[in-house]
Amino acid sequence: MTSSPSCRVTALGLMPLALLGALAGCGGVGSDVGNDIGQAVGDGVVCGVRNCTESSTLNLDEISPRFTASQAAGDSAVQVRGNLGKSANLLTTVLMAPNERLSASIDGSPEVTMDNPDGKRYDYTAQLPAASALPVVQVVFTRAGVRHVSQVTMPPAFTVLQPMGTPLMTRGGLALPVRLSLATVGTASATAVGSCTRADGSRFTTTGTALGVRADGVVGGGYRLEPATVDDALNAASRSQNNDDPRTSAVARCDLTIVWTSTALGSTPATMNRHGVLRGERSASHLLSYDARP
């Protein structure tokens, strides 16, 4: 079926997100072409948000490696994830050229080329089997045959000694004591992952809400979770999930996983931008039920 001239003109005058639907309605686009247009529009939206920049337009000292090597308690591998950025601008993603490469290794093992799961050069990952107590991870950016190496020594692995099971925290109750198998004091942070119900019955999820924690200064690996601090953090996450509406109903109850993370900062190559970073993270977790109801 052939589309009319007026239909073509109308479609071409629409914004990109509406263009595909208009063309389909006019009957002038096949499924393959439609998919291609939809993909192009989607890529444009992502790059609009991430401010995509081709690495070929940048000097090496403008490119920042931004990677994290992480391992959770019980896992046998270290996960390396991240991307290339521009200088200190956290909102810019640098897209590698075909003759450039990202690779990773652990404890001197052979390097593996990092995967690009999205296929769009936004983010890169690698999974590295780890057996040593303090693995040394390297991320290598290669340009014009020259290697630029970032390196980090992972912090010690640890577990959660206390609490066990799924403790209940109430808004008006006592602080929850936590004990990690760390000799250090105040070096771990905590985030909450899980689902919550508001007082009006609506629900939301949190995927990494930072919780203010208090270190127990006389006990290595000792911390406390304070109900008032947890409540403030969860309600802030709730509002952010509701367009920051100040009228958002208060959090009533949550089923959470509390993830404790110990972090070490590595080194990045002097040849690249000084705002680059390679972090090493070890984590362990426990469950928590939170009830804010009177």
Side-chain angles (χ1 to χ4, degrees), residues 178 183-186 214-224:
V178 177
T184 54
V185 175
R214 287 192 177 181
D216 187 335
V218 298
V219 180
Y223 295 86
R224 295 196 309 276

Side-chain angles (χ1 to χ4, degrees), residues 35-290:
N35 289 338
D36 290 345
I37 293 173
Q39 186 65 58
V41 170
D43 293 346
V45 170
V46 172
C47 268
V49 172
R50 297 186 62 155
N51 191 26
C52 298
T53 301
E54 293 288 343
S55 67
S56 58
T57 67
L58 301 174
N59 296 324
L60 181 63
D61 62 5
E62 295 178 279
I63 300 176
S64 306
R66 296 175 184 154
F67 290 90
T68 299
S70 61
Q71 185 178 26
D75 288 353
S76 61
V78 170
Q79 307 289 334
V80 184
R81 296 183 176 87
N83 57 52
L84 298 174
K86 180 182 177 183
S87 302
N89 188 346
L90 298 178
L91 300 179
T92 296
T93 298
V94 173
L95 308 179
M96 280 201 304
N99 63 343
E100 296 172 338
R101 178 174 179 256
L102 279 167
S103 56
S105 67
I106 190 166
D107 291 334
S109 63
E111 291 177 12
V112 298
T113 298
M114 297 189 71
D115 294 328
N116 175 218
D118 52 55
K120 305 298 181 183
R121 301 177 291 157
Y122 305 143
D123 301 294
Y124 291 83
T125 66
Q127 181 170 292
L128 308 172
S132 64
L134 298 173
V136 177
V137 177
Q138 290 189 339
V139 174
V140 182
F141 174 62
T142 302
R143 171 185 268 197
V146 179
R147 295 159 46 84
H148 307 275
V149 182
S150 301
Q151 180 172 299
V152 67
T153 299
M154 301 285 287
F158 66 95
T159 58
V160 176
L161 303 176
Q162 178 188 2
M164 304 293 288
T166 308
L168 173 65
M169 174 185 284
T170 61
R171 190 174 188 276
L174 300 175
L176 176 70
V178 177
R179 182 79 183 273
L180 311 177
S181 62
L182 288 172
T184 54
V185 175
T187 58
S189 60
T191 56
V193 178
S195 61
C196 297
T197 302
R198 301 184 180 99
D200 63 3
S202 61
R203 298 182 62 83
F204 71 97
T205 59
T206 175
T207 57
T209 297
L211 302 177
V213 299
R214 287 192 177 181
D216 187 335
V218 298
V219 180
Y223 295 86
R224 295 196 309 276
L225 288 173
E226 300 285 351
T229 305
V230 170
D231 190 75
D232 287 346
L234 293 173
N235 274 287
S238 173
R239 288 189 295 273
S240 72
Q241 294 286 325
N242 193 34
N243 299 315
D244 292 317
D245 188 341
R247 299 167 298 177
T248 302
S249 182
V251 170
R253 184 175 174 85
C254 297
D255 294 310
L256 304 170
T257 297
I258 308 301
V259 181
W260 293 85
T261 303
S262 177
T263 303
L265 290 179
S267 62
T268 54
T271 49
M272 299 183 74
N273 191 269
R274 65 185 180 89
H275 294 289
V277 64
L278 174 58
R279 292 184 179 88
E281 295 182 347
R282 278 327 218 318
S283 65
S285 61
H286 63 84
L287 300 177
L288 176 68
S289 291
Y290 177 67

